[in-house]
Amino acid sequence: MTASHAAPLPADIATLADYERHAAAHIDPATWAHIAQGTTHANRAAFGRWGLLPRPLAPIAQGSTARVLLGQRHDTPLLLAPVAYHRLVHPAGEIATAQAAAAMGATLVASTLSSVTLEDIAAATRAAAQELGLPVPPQWFQLYCQPDPDQTLALVRRAEDAGYGVLVVTVDAAIKRADFALPPGIVAANLVDPAVAAPAPHRAEAQAGPLVFGSALARQAPTWDTIAQLRQATSLPLVVKGLLHPDDARAAREAGAEGIVVSNHAGRVLDGVAPALPCLPAVRAAVGPNYPVLFDGGVRSGADALKAMALGADAVMVGLPQLHALAVGGVAGVAHMLHILRTEFALAMAQCGCTDAGRIGPGLVMPMIGG
Amino acid sequence: MTASHAAPLPADIATLADYERHAAAHIDPATWAHIAQGTTHANRAAFGRWGLLPRPLAPIAQGSTARVLLGQRHDTPLLLAPVAYHRLVHPAGEIATAQAAAAMGATLVASTLSSVTLEDIAAATRAAAQELGLPVPPQWFQLYCQPDPDQTLALVRRAEDAGYGVLVVTVDAAIKRADFALPPGIVAANLVDPAVAAPAPHRAEAQAGPLVFGSALARQAPTWDTIAQLRQATSLPLVVKGLLHPDDARAAREAGAEGIVVSNHAGRVLDGVAPALPCLPAVRAAVGPNYPVLFDGGVRSGADALKAMALGADAVMVGLPQLHALAVGGVAGVAHMLHILRTEFALAMAQCGCTDAGRIGPGLVMPMIGG
Amino acid sequence: MTASHAAPLPADIATLADYERHAAAHIDPATWAHIAQGTTHANRAAFGRWGLLPRPLAPIAQGSTARVLLGQRHDTPLLLAPVAYHRLVHPAGEIATAQAAAAMGATLVASTLSSVTLEDIAAATRAAAQELGLPVPPQWFQLYCQPDPDQTLALVRRAEDAGYGVLVVTVDAAIKRADFALPPGIVAANLVDPAVAAPAPHRAEAQAGPLVFGSALARQAPTWDTIAQLRQATSLPLVVKGLLHPDDARAAREAGAEGIVVSNHAGRVLDGVAPALPCLPAVRAAVGPNYPVLFDGGVRSGADALKAMALGADAVMVGLPQLHALAVGGVAGVAHMLHILRTEFALAMAQCGCTDAGRIGPGLVMPMIGG
Amino acid sequence: MTASHAAPLPADIATLADYERHAAAHIDPATWAHIAQGTTHANRAAFGRWGLLPRPLAPIAQGSTARVLLGQRHDTPLLLAPVAYHRLVHPAGEIATAQAAAAMGATLVASTLSSVTLEDIAAATRAAAQELGLPVPPQWFQLYCQPDPDQTLALVRRAEDAGYGVLVVTVDAAIKRADFALPPGIVAANLVDPAVAAPAPHRAEAQAGPLVFGSALARQAPTWDTIAQLRQATSLPLVVKGLLHPDDARAAREAGAEGIVVSNHAGRVLDGVAPALPCLPAVRAAVGPNYPVLFDGGVRSGADALKAMALGADAVMVGLPQLHALAVGGVAGVAHMLHILRTEFALAMAQCGCTDAGRIGPGLVMPMIGG
């Protein structure tokens, strides 16, 4: 693992919010605007509606943040969410993120829309762990179903061959329109036509054509059948990402998926969408205590992660903070960000008297009146 | 249909809010102040109290935004609300709005207080549709009851003769005081005395005279009898616009009206008025599932429209965004605004797993605690 | 009635808030700071938690804002609350306010702490009404119990002799500390020692002496016995002003008071006090439908007044707007302010389908979720 | 008692907020930043969700703010919370605070992390009371359990020998990481190694080592056994400070503690922690009416104190205002701050009709909808 930059990290970074604050100066303005958009305000505000209840004198000498998910042990229930095109903010792109994740024992969920190939990401993860004498963390691959099912299957085979152990199928962005032009030199490295994110069609053109229903976009959108077919096509565990409704959580289980990720795609796909966090209790109630439910939706601290788990999640994903930390500090930045997050999480667990990440439950939080 | 201006639309417009932002620079300050006033804040804030619940894997290959209202098919359940005096913001006035609506297959509800005649609006609608080879969208006329019932009937006859298929009787502005002086050259083109919107009486004079009750204003205000008489006077379907209370919704049905529009007149008529959106569920419950209920009250996106329909509306109207888009881009602006709105609406429907605009219901939204 | 100033009113005043905005430029800064202080924010915010429900087609040709209170007819249920020292903002002081109130048929509740004598206020009221050929509106006097009961009784006798018909006993400011020094020339004209509002004691001195309980202030504070004694001492109806708790409302009735004013003294007396408006329903429930309950607490529009009455009040008082309008426009300002208020009130009544101020009830308002 | 400064207090200080406003100019910026940090916003906001209900005509001629806590009489139920290192803001440090507290008859809870020794604080308290001819107020000592139990016991013995009558064991900061470097000359005067607050470890180093569980920090954290052992080791009453959960309140009683302090350590220890005030009712319900419960969490006025007591506390502590007042005015500042607070408290009691601080209950407050 080669340090991808030499500059020291800024001295005043103590939280993930500090990375976000610094990141604006390290990222091209157009890219920054694209990253910063999205109505995540409702996602973030939802965390303020629950308060953690510390239990100061509980015995905490021994304990563990580890969590088994889909048969694999995770040092912490904190995963790096799939985020597209890391090279937008750092030349080493997902390679640097993967090295940092391996160094911290965390799982990077590699995106279909990565700017380096999924094979290179997997290899970089293993090499970094080996160089540091650490076990390789579980490797997960995020799958966007492609317009051509053969291309989807080809991605699945490549992921299997590259050693990924879990497939995360993102289902909530199927009919989002492209709205961001990749700068020169950044490509969707995994795809047949890597320039997938073309500029948006000219407005005048946009006025022609069918109105969503009947369009190619809608015809190609994955359905529950797609999930069932994928379930048949691979022996890897499948996790469906992008559900909020308890009926969909139940349907995922019935379609054979091994787990789900409650997520509203950072509020970027559907204007006016419900925040993700308050959806957790009903989802957990729908699938029962033992079905794997992950959460993705505005987590920015260990306390946020603990609240999401208290409300029903088995683990959480963090998305944009990866790019913030990568832009600011490359490998060291992402590693430090993960360290902050997992330390905050362990401290919050300990302060709430939890010594086992598998036993986090609703008693840890208090709903806030008028919060 | 002649393009009413040559300048291209601003490149950075992607939402109705963008049109509002741009519009200030295209509209005379006094007119802008008049348009922008009104306590619409509560109307807008109400939308934040419900979140949409997407259903990502529902089958959406086929579907339709179309909706039958009062026996007429609408491509989308999105109508242009009656708005007075379009020539305040663009020389072509309602002619341009009508051409854009026809091009987009949308219904313009022509206002009694239009700045071109209702006959010219109807003709422009048909001509534009014919030029584009499109069906003529349903044509609706909004009626303000006049002090003299014969004048009211005359307007009804003119609307019938001009080919309008629905009469929308606005009942919630009867005792609003005039507070805006029309600039030179803008008139109420449909009325006998077109300079209807005279300056407000001088303050000193205002202190004399009866206090609302017993005034000419109050004596001339329409009542349920007025609706019943109108119901007898024309064979056109009647829609009563401006109701919030479930008892009034029921009364409208009993008076023979074919439908209602839940609206608080953008909050401009009664200070401290309840926001319109939260009134929908009780109104729907009062009139049952099959009585036509439209909504007008702060819709600014397809997601807003979908929320209003989830809470009980069969269709929605958008008001001020017409003027914003007309000011910024004339015919092209209004057409583009409608395109944005209907595309957002279709995308929101599809993302919520709805393939039939007739089956939108309360399961699509989640109330937000403290939202 | 002589116009007390010649300057015309500002042209841009259409609401009571406009008077407040203008007033700052007409009032001495120290006085303005004193007037503007007080935690009225909670009082004002409470109005936003209820929305009015208009009933557009109700018959409103005839109707009345009049209300009988304690056997006297009021043209509108809108009274001028007792406010101290009107001469702080205008040389004519309460004389001007009284003339404007008489011209508008409104009752001024003359304050014990008026800057002209109660006799002069009463005479000015009658003279103004006579000059205008109008009936004299009901005249009310507000009583602060004095340290010496004989002085209190002397005030009662003077009020009786001057023709006042109702005594409003303010009971919620008994142990407020003086915190404002009257400027030269302004006195408490009704009191034996007119320089009642002396500067606050020096801070160092304040540290000595008993802590409220046992102090002269606490020993002299009126109690329910004081009310019962007052009840015996005069034949005038007694209204107790400054109650929020339903038990106190009941106690007032039992002590023989003819009515109460729900008020928190604009939040100026007790830090952290509950807002007044939400206290109304419980108070009304405690005393039943027929006991006179007035309201004072942040009313700034006719809609506010209507909400307070829908929640249980029989009438409302407006306080500070008197000073704002008096400072800006003298007699004409106060008259105009009253005209705005009563017109807004009548319009709001009419729009809500009320034609009788005696039949305003809870069906007029909708509680606002998260409002 | 020697005046520790000669400058007069600023003339415009009337509330504790005024002291905070002035303090910034009197405190070293790094220290100010350290003091001002912490998420106390939620603690403060919670007070806005309850409103006090005054009872104006209740008899208040006689009454008392006094409260017996753990067998000792306190003039008011208002204590100075343990706050570390007073010399950070004033050269006389805790000596000045103790003199002011003695002059006002208030209890200073001396901190383990005081910048002068606990013996000197106790002596200064007694000397000041003697010089003024006042009784010595109850003396309390706050204990942080030390890594070495013998050191903890040594602190207990010193507190006993110095005459402290109550031990307050703070249990909610055990695993907070050091994050503030003491400036030269300021030390933890009570500790064996007085430079206890060393700079935070370098970030790179921080990435090594165990993740909270299994660390020295976690192994040394006090547990319920620690409380039980302390209970055996001293005859002084024990009060456990830093509980929010009703189960922990019950556990404290069962472990033999004589009382508790509901506190979230100003929100500085656990990100996302519940505000302290709303935890009071459940805690009081858990321990019954007679178990001593104190409150610490954002009290900044007498009204705040009264609200906390209405919600279940027997007494309250104020923390940071000590430092603000000490920085601004030394002994006189702290005394004046205490005078403001106790006067506000007595006035609020009196206005709410309470004449006995032992009978403050839930009827004094109204929950505020949407507050």
Side-chain angles (χ1 to χ4, degrees):
Chain A
M1 181 162 80
T2 308
S4 56
H5 76 131
L9 297 175
D12 61 346
I13 292 186
T15 67
L16 272 59
D18 294 330
Y19 269 114
E20 181 167 9
R21 184 168 46 83
H22 274 277
H26 291 259
I27 298 181
D28 167 72
T31 301
W32 177 253
H34 173 65
I35 290 175
Q37 84 180 31
T39 55
T40 58
H41 173 72
N43 268 357
R44 292 289 307 131
F47 287 95
R49 302 210 287 263
W50 282 274
L52 291 173
L53 282 173
R55 307 296 300 270
L57 291 164
I60 55 164
Q62 300 305 325
S64 169
T65 59
R67 192 85 166 89
V68 174
L69 297 170
L70 304 168
Q72 296 172 312
R73 184 187 186 279
H74 293 251
D75 286 358
T76 64
L78 308 168
L79 290 79
L80 295 179
V83 175
Y85 307 121
H86 291 205
R87 292 190 61 227
L88 284 172
V89 305
H90 193 278
E94 289 83 358
I95 298 299
T97 314
Q99 290 171 335
M104 288 291 146
T107 288
L108 165 65
V109 185
S111 169
T112 288
L113 295 180
S114 54
S115 50
V116 303
T117 66
L118 64 94
E119 289 83 3
D120 288 351
I121 296 171
T125 300
R126 284 190 293 267
Q130 186 174 358
E131 185 180 334
L132 294 162
L134 296 170
V136 181
Q139 293 182 273
W140 293 23
F141 178 71
Q142 177 267 341
L143 180 71
Y144 274 124
C145 292
Q146 301 300 307
D148 176 350
D150 289 344
Q151 290 179 357
T152 306
L153 273 186
L155 281 170
V156 172
R157 295 291 163 255
R158 286 172 60 192
E160 292 168 344
D161 294 346
Y164 289 94
V166 170
L167 284 183
V168 176
V169 190
T170 301
V171 299
D172 61 356
I175 55 173
K176 191 192 171 198
R177 289 170 299 173
D179 59 353
F180 177 68
L182 287 178
I186 311 290
V187 296
N190 291 325
L191 302 188
V192 174
D193 173 6
V196 70
H202 186 274
R203 188 179 303 113
E205 297 169 345
Q207 298 184 9
L211 201 58
V212 181
F213 299 112
S215 70
L217 212 56
R219 279 182 281 113
Q220 294 158 1
T223 65
W224 289 108
D225 289 345
T226 319
I227 301 299
Q229 289 156 12
L230 270 173
R231 181 56 296 158
Q232 297 300 322
T234 178
S235 60
L236 291 180
L238 282 191
V239 172
V240 179
K241 179 170 182 287
L243 306 179
L244 295 178
H245 199 290
D247 289 351
D248 282 350
R250 238 182 255 111
R253 193 182 54 183
E254 286 163 17
E258 276 77 8
I260 60 170
V261 185
V262 168
S263 170
N264 65 9
H265 215 105
R268 298 164 83 96
V269 172
L270 174 59
D271 174 48
V273 71
L277 191 70
C279 294
L280 275 170
V283 164
R284 173 54 71 195
V287 296
N290 297 319
Y291 189 70
V293 174
L294 288 88
F295 176 78
D296 164 69
V299 170
R300 294 292 180 273
S301 70
D304 290 345
L306 190 58
K307 287 180 185 179
M309 293 178 70
L311 292 172
D314 294 305
V316 306
M317 294 178 167
V318 286
L320 287 188
Q322 293 172 66
L323 295 192
H324 301 151
L326 183 61
V328 172
V331 173
V334 176
H336 180 222
M337 183 276 288
L338 282 167
H339 175 70
I340 291 172
L341 190 68
R342 69 180 195 175
T343 305
E344 288 176 344
F345 178 73
L347 280 166
M349 271 185 66
Q351 289 181 295
C352 290
C354 292
T355 55
D356 179 352
R359 300 200 171 188
I360 295 167
L364 270 65
V365 287
M366 181 175 76
M368 319 252 287
I369 305 162
Chain B
M1 181 163 77
T2 308
S4 57
H5 76 131
L9 297 175
D12 60 347
I13 292 186
T15 66
L16 272 58
D18 295 330
Y19 269 112
E20 181 167 10
R21 185 169 44 84
H22 275 277
H26 291 258
I27 298 180
D28 167 71
T31 302
W32 177 252
H34 173 66
I35 291 175
Q37 84 181 29
T39 56
T40 59
H41 174 72
N43 268 357
R44 292 290 307 133
F47 287 95
R49 303 211 286 264
W50 281 274
L52 291 172
L53 282 174
R55 306 298 300 270
L57 292 164
I60 55 163
Q62 300 305 324
S64 169
T65 58
R67 194 83 167 89
V68 174
L69 297 171
L70 305 168
Q72 296 173 312
R73 184 185 186 279
H74 293 251
D75 286 357
T76 64
L78 308 168
L79 290 78
L80 295 180
V83 174
Y85 307 119
H86 291 205
R87 290 190 61 227
L88 283 171
V89 305
H90 193 278
E94 289 82 357
I95 299 298
T97 313
Q99 290 171 335
M104 287 292 146
T107 288
L108 166 64
V109 185
S111 169
T112 288
L113 294 180
S114 54
S115 49
V116 303
T117 65
L118 63 94
E119 290 82 3
D120 287 350
I121 296 171
T125 300
R126 283 189 294 265
Q130 185 175 358
E131 184 179 336
L132 294 162
L134 297 170
V136 180
Q139 293 183 274
W140 293 23
F141 178 70
Q142 178 267 340
L143 180 69
Y144 273 124
C145 292
Q146 301 299 307
D148 176 350
D150 289 342
Q151 290 178 357
T152 306
L153 273 184
L155 282 170
V156 172
R157 295 291 164 255
R158 285 172 61 192
E160 291 168 345
D161 294 346
Y164 288 95
V166 171
L167 283 184
V168 176
V169 189
T170 300
V171 298
D172 61 357
I175 54 172
K176 191 194 172 198
R177 290 170 299 173
D179 60 353
F180 177 68
L182 286 178
I186 312 291
V187 296
N190 292 325
L191 302 188
V192 174
D193 173 5
V196 71
H202 188 273
R203 189 178 304 112
E205 297 169 344
Q207 297 184 10
L211 202 56
V212 181
F213 299 112
S215 70
L217 213 57
R219 279 183 280 114
Q220 294 158 1
T223 66
W224 289 107
D225 289 343
T226 319
I227 301 299
Q229 290 156 11
L230 270 174
R231 180 57 296 160
Q232 298 300 323
T234 178
S235 60
L236 291 181
L238 281 192
V239 173
V240 179
K241 178 169 183 285
L243 306 179
L244 295 178
H245 199 289
D247 289 351
D248 282 349
R250 238 182 255 112
R253 194 182 52 184
E254 286 163 16
E258 276 76 8
I260 60 170
V261 185
V262 169
S263 170
N264 65 8
H265 216 105
R268 298 165 84 98
V269 173
L270 174 58
D271 175 47
V273 71
L277 191 69
C279 294
L280 275 170
V283 164
R284 173 54 72 197
V287 296
N290 297 319
Y291 189 70
V293 175
L294 288 89
F295 176 78
D296 164 68
V299 171
R300 294 291 180 271
S301 70
D304 289 346
L306 190 58
K307 288 179 185 178
M309 293 179 69
L311 292 172
D314 294 306
V316 305
M317 294 177 168
V318 287
L320 287 188
Q322 294 172 65
L323 295 192
H324 301 151
L326 182 61
V328 172
V331 174
V334 177
H336 180 222
M337 183 275 287
L338 283 167
H339 175 70
I340 291 172
L341 190 68
R342 70 182 196 174
T343 305
E344 288 176 345
F345 178 73
L347 281 166
M349 270 186 66
Q351 290 181 294
C352 290
C354 292
T355 54
D356 180 351
R359 301 201 172 189
I360 295 167
L364 270 67
V365 287
M366 182 175 76
M368 319 253 286
I369 306 162
Chain C
M1 183 163 79
T2 308
S4 57
H5 75 130
L9 297 175
D12 60 346
I13 292 188
T15 67
L16 272 58
D18 295 329
Y19 269 113
E20 181 167 9
R21 184 168 46 82
H22 275 277
H26 292 258
I27 299 180
D28 166 70
T31 302
W32 177 253
H34 173 65
I35 290 175
Q37 84 181 30
T39 56
T40 59
H41 174 73
N43 269 357
R44 292 290 307 132
F47 288 94
R49 303 211 287 266
W50 282 273
L52 290 173
L53 282 173
R55 307 297 300 271
L57 292 164
I60 55 165
Q62 300 305 324
S64 168
T65 59
R67 193 87 166 88
V68 173
L69 298 170
L70 305 168
Q72 295 172 312
R73 183 185 186 279
H74 293 252
D75 286 357
T76 65
L78 309 168
L79 289 77
L80 295 180
V83 173
Y85 307 119
H86 291 206
R87 291 191 60 228
L88 283 171
V89 304
H90 193 278
E94 289 83 357
I95 299 299
T97 314
Q99 290 171 334
M104 288 290 146
T107 289
L108 164 65
V109 186
S111 170
T112 289
L113 295 179
S114 53
S115 48
V116 301
T117 64
L118 63 94
E119 289 82 3
D120 288 349
I121 296 171
T125 300
R126 284 189 294 265
Q130 184 175 359
E131 183 178 337
L132 295 162
L134 297 170
V136 180
Q139 293 182 272
W140 292 23
F141 178 70
Q142 178 266 340
L143 180 71
Y144 274 124
C145 292
Q146 301 300 306
D148 176 348
D150 288 342
Q151 291 178 356
T152 307
L153 272 186
L155 282 169
V156 172
R157 295 291 164 255
R158 287 172 60 193
E160 291 168 346
D161 294 346
Y164 289 94
V166 171
L167 283 184
V168 176
V169 190
T170 300
V171 298
D172 62 356
I175 55 173
K176 193 192 171 198
R177 291 170 298 174
D179 58 354
F180 178 67
L182 286 179
I186 312 290
V187 296
N190 292 325
L191 302 188
V192 173
D193 173 5
V196 71
H202 188 274
R203 188 179 303 112
E205 297 168 344
Q207 297 184 11
L211 202 56
V212 182
F213 300 111
S215 69
L217 213 56
R219 279 183 281 115
Q220 295 158 359
T223 65
W224 291 108
D225 288 345
T226 319
I227 301 300
Q229 290 155 11
L230 271 173
R231 180 58 296 160
Q232 297 300 323
T234 179
S235 60
L236 292 181
L238 281 192
V239 173
V240 179
K241 178 168 183 286
L243 305 179
L244 296 177
H245 199 291
D247 289 352
D248 282 350
R250 237 182 255 112
R253 194 183 51 183
E254 287 164 16
E258 276 75 9
I260 60 170
V261 184
V262 168
S263 169
N264 64 9
H265 215 107
R268 297 165 83 98
V269 173
L270 174 58
D271 175 47
V273 71
L277 191 69
C279 294
L280 275 170
V283 164
R284 173 54 71 197
V287 295
N290 297 321
Y291 189 70
V293 174
L294 288 90
F295 176 77
D296 163 68
V299 170
R300 295 291 179 271
S301 70
D304 290 346
L306 190 58
K307 288 180 185 179
M309 292 179 68
L311 293 171
D314 294 305
V316 306
M317 294 178 169
V318 288
L320 288 187
Q322 294 172 65
L323 295 192
H324 302 150
L326 182 61
V328 172
V331 174
V334 176
H336 181 223
M337 183 275 287
L338 282 166
H339 175 70
I340 291 172
L341 190 68
R342 70 181 195 173
T343 305
E344 288 176 345
F345 178 73
L347 280 166
M349 270 186 68
Q351 290 181 295
C352 290
C354 291
T355 54
D356 179 352
R359 300 200 172 189
I360 295 167
L364 270 65
V365 287
M366 182 175 75
M368 319 254 287
I369 307 162
Chain D
M1 182 163 81
T2 308
S4 56
H5 76 130
L9 297 175
D12 61 347
I13 292 187
T15 67
L16 273 59
D18 294 330
Y19 269 113
E20 180 166 11
R21 185 168 45 83
H22 274 278
H26 291 259
I27 299 180
D28 166 70
T31 301
W32 177 254
H34 173 66
I35 290 175
Q37 85 182 27
T39 55
T40 59
H41 174 72
N43 269 358
R44 292 289 308 132
F47 287 94
R49 302 209 288 264
W50 281 274
L52 290 173
L53 283 173
R55 306 297 299 271
L57 291 165
I60 54 165
Q62 299 305 324
S64 168
T65 59
R67 193 85 166 89
V68 173
L69 297 170
L70 305 167
Q72 296 173 311
R73 184 185 185 280
H74 292 251
D75 286 357
T76 65
L78 309 168
L79 290 78
L80 295 180
V83 173
Y85 306 121
H86 291 204
R87 291 191 60 228
L88 284 172
V89 305
H90 193 279
E94 289 82 358
I95 297 300
T97 314
Q99 290 171 334
M104 289 291 146
T107 289
L108 164 65
V109 186
S111 170
T112 288
L113 295 179
S114 54
S115 48
V116 302
T117 66
L118 64 94
E119 289 83 2
D120 287 350
I121 295 171
T125 299
R126 284 190 294 266
Q130 186 175 358
E131 184 178 334
L132 295 162
L134 296 170
V136 180
Q139 293 183 274
W140 292 24
F141 178 70
Q142 178 267 340
L143 181 70
Y144 274 124
C145 293
Q146 301 299 306
D148 176 349
D150 289 344
Q151 291 179 356
T152 306
L153 272 185
L155 282 169
V156 172
R157 294 291 164 258
R158 287 172 59 194
E160 292 169 343
D161 294 346
Y164 289 95
V166 171
L167 283 183
V168 176
V169 189
T170 300
V171 297
D172 61 356
I175 55 174
K176 192 192 171 200
R177 290 170 299 174
D179 59 354
F180 177 68
L182 286 178
I186 312 291
V187 296
N190 291 325
L191 302 187
V192 174
D193 174 5
V196 70
H202 187 273
R203 188 180 303 109
E205 297 169 344
Q207 298 184 9
L211 201 58
V212 181
F213 300 111
S215 69
L217 213 56
R219 279 183 281 113
Q220 294 158 0
T223 65
W224 290 108
D225 289 345
T226 318
I227 300 300
Q229 289 156 15
L230 270 173
R231 181 55 298 158
Q232 297 300 321
T234 179
S235 60
L236 291 181
L238 281 191
V239 173
V240 178
K241 178 169 182 286
L243 306 179
L244 296 178
H245 200 291
D247 290 352
D248 282 351
R250 238 182 254 111
R253 193 183 51 184
E254 286 164 17
E258 275 77 8
I260 61 171
V261 185
V262 168
S263 169
N264 65 9
H265 215 106
R268 298 165 84 97
V269 172
L270 173 59
D271 175 48
V273 72
L277 190 70
C279 294
L280 275 170
V283 164
R284 173 54 70 196
V287 296
N290 297 318
Y291 189 71
V293 174
L294 288 89
F295 177 78
D296 163 69
V299 170
R300 294 290 179 274
S301 70
D304 290 346
L306 190 59
K307 288 180 184 179
M309 292 178 70
L311 293 171
D314 294 305
V316 306
M317 294 178 167
V318 287
L320 288 188
Q322 293 171 67
L323 295 192
H324 302 150
L326 182 61
V328 172
V331 173
V334 177
H336 180 223
M337 182 276 287
L338 282 166
H339 175 69
I340 291 172
L341 190 68
R342 70 180 195 174
T343 306
E344 288 177 345
F345 177 73
L347 281 167
M349 269 186 67
Q351 291 182 295
C352 290
C354 292
T355 55
D356 179 351
R359 300 201 172 188
I360 296 168
L364 270 65
V365 287
M366 183 175 75
M368 319 251 289
I369 306 163

